[in-house]
Amino acid sequence: MSLQQELDALTARIAANKNVPRQVVAQFIAAIKEQIASGKSEHALKAGDAVPSFKLSDHNGASVSLSLLLARGPLVISFYRGTWCSYCNTQLRALEAARADIEARGASIVAVSMQNEAYSSKTVAENHLGFSSLIDADGQVAADFGLRYGLSGEAGWSLLMPACYVIARDGVVAYAEVNPDYTHRAEPKDLLPILDQLARSTSAPGRSCPTQP
């Protein structure tokens, strides 16, 4: 079963659950439509854009920088809403299932959320992830990627749009999937041809693998 098939099944279960009030289901659908209509996703980083440098703590409290991650090879970044989001957890588990294939291509994976260390640790533990969850507590990295947005009627509260990026070693976006409909996510298998292309381009004669300072 593909990731999207799993997510569609999750949506169907939520819609069919008689314990979920119909008003909540209607709000669920309306919120997605509002996000799509807002056009916010058009402001997110796209393929060919340079990624702003960042340094964040991971779920274990260790400091992790973009330059350090890219020194190891291409980077897959999954921005997720939080451990409370079933769609995010499903995608993170799918990335974990594909981790061996991704790492075999010289790349690594990190997840990024605006939740705190305790919830980030919970996300890693409950989804049995072999990669780190980075803590973007103030949402600055999400904002730099064009993913953070304010919640309607909730002053001071914000979320991020789920997104999946492949960053080349020179700090340029090689692949971007940003969908304002959070029930739709990138398939991990779609990342593999991108990583293969990056591997071919860096191994070509006369080509080097630049990294950020």
Side-chain angles (χ1 to χ4, degrees):
M1 180 184 294
S2 70
L3 170 59
Q4 193 54 53
Q5 286 173 326
E6 287 189 65
L7 297 175
D8 290 343
L10 173 58
T11 301
R13 288 196 299 272
I14 293 172
N17 189 341
K18 298 190 185 315
N19 293 321
V20 179
R22 295 303 90 188
Q23 180 182 1
V24 172
V25 174
Q27 291 172 342
F28 168 80
I29 296 171
I32 293 174
K33 290 181 178 179
E34 179 183 354
Q35 185 75 313
I36 294 171
S38 73
K40 292 184 178 73
S41 62
E42 297 174 9
H43 302 291
L45 292 186
K46 300 175 176 60
D49 290 337
V51 176
S53 62
F54 62 78
K55 181 181 290 186
L56 298 172
S57 295
D58 69 11
H59 63 284
N60 290 317
S63 180
V64 179
S65 67
L66 176 63
S67 57
L68 176 63
L69 292 167
L70 292 178
R72 303 170 183 168
L75 178 66
V76 175
I77 306 180
S78 177
F79 285 89
Y80 71 102
R81 305 198 304 163
T83 194
W84 48 269
C85 176
S86 298
Y87 293 91
C88 296
N89 291 325
T90 301
Q91 183 183 33
L92 290 172
R93 289 194 295 270
L95 279 172
E96 173 60 26
R99 182 164 61 89
D101 288 333
I102 290 171
E103 291 179 348
R105 289 162 169 80
S108 58
I109 309 171
V110 293
V112 178
S113 78
M114 292 166 55
Q115 60 187 2
N116 62 26
E117 184 175 324
Y119 282 113
S120 295
S121 295
K122 181 179 180 182
T123 297
V124 171
E126 293 189 348
N127 291 298
H128 307 287
L129 304 181
F131 52 88
S132 296
S133 178
L134 307 186
I135 302 163
D136 182 25
D138 61 3
Q140 186 57 56
V141 175
D144 288 344
F145 273 74
L147 302 173
R148 191 179 72 187
Y149 64 95
L151 296 178
S152 300
E154 299 289 343
W157 286 87
S158 60
L159 279 175
L160 59 76
M161 283 181 286
C164 187
Y165 286 92
V166 175
I167 313 300
R169 293 190 68 182
D170 60 0
V172 173
V173 176
Y175 170 91
E177 196 279 340
V178 183
N179 196 324
D181 181 352
Y182 59 81
T183 69
H184 289 77
R185 306 294 177 97
E187 294 284 347
K189 65 179 178 61
D190 293 341
L191 309 180
L192 303 182
I194 307 300
L195 295 172
D196 286 337
Q197 177 60 40
L198 289 176
R200 286 193 295 269
S201 65
T202 55
S203 62
R207 295 296 300 272
S208 60
C209 299
T211 58
Q212 292 189 343

